[in-house]
Amino acid sequence: MTVTLHVCITCRAGETPGEGEATPGKRLHGAILDAGVPEGVNVVPVECLSACNQGCSVALSAPGRWSYVYGRLSDANARDVVAGAAAYAAAPDGLVPWRSRPEIFRKQSLARIPPIAVVPEAAE
């Protein structure tokens, strides 16, 4: 199953980019793509994860799995984000053992959201 790594590309991380300059969020998104997207991970840029006071942020989610939002990131964290996304993709329920998570995922988690149950009537 493919998991989704959402990357906020509007995050400014307290900066005021000049005309034509990429926001820190766009730089993080580009650095993640440059680092190499692991198999089973789909990287999707989004315009806001509502974590604006927490710097650059990303979110991992997939149907039937726990979801996570991480913040206080920069393009320097791209390789760790990719490693964490690969570990998440390999965990059937989204619960990666604590010691197997990159340090930024252990210390910079903003939210942990339980799997959403699908209600059959709502799907019709």
Side-chain angles (χ1 to χ4, degrees):
M1 172 188 297
T2 300
V3 302
T4 302
L5 173 65
H6 293 97
V7 181
C8 177
I9 58 171
T10 55
C11 285
R12 294 177 178 248
E15 296 180 14
T16 305
E19 183 74 26
E21 287 185 72
T23 62
K26 281 186 181 175
R27 292 196 306 261
L28 173 60
H29 178 255
I32 288 169
L33 296 177
D34 289 346
V37 178
E39 188 174 326
V41 177
N42 184 30
V43 178
V44 177
V46 293
E47 293 197 354
C48 187
L49 291 172
S50 290
C52 303
N53 63 348
Q54 296 293 324
C56 293
S57 57
V58 301
L60 279 166
S61 62
R65 296 182 189 211
W66 285 83
S67 298
Y68 296 88
V69 180
Y70 300 99
R72 301 182 302 277
L73 301 170
S74 73
D75 51 343
N77 301 122
R79 290 192 183 281
D80 286 334
V81 171
V82 168
Y88 180 80
D93 56 3
L95 296 172
V96 177
W98 179 259
R99 294 194 182 274
S100 298
R101 299 176 192 175
E103 185 174 334
I104 59 169
F105 279 18
R106 291 191 303 251
K107 296 186 174 181
Q108 295 169 216
S109 175
L110 303 179
R112 178 176 175 233
I113 304 159
I116 297 172
V118 176
V119 179
E121 299 86 41
E124 295 177 5

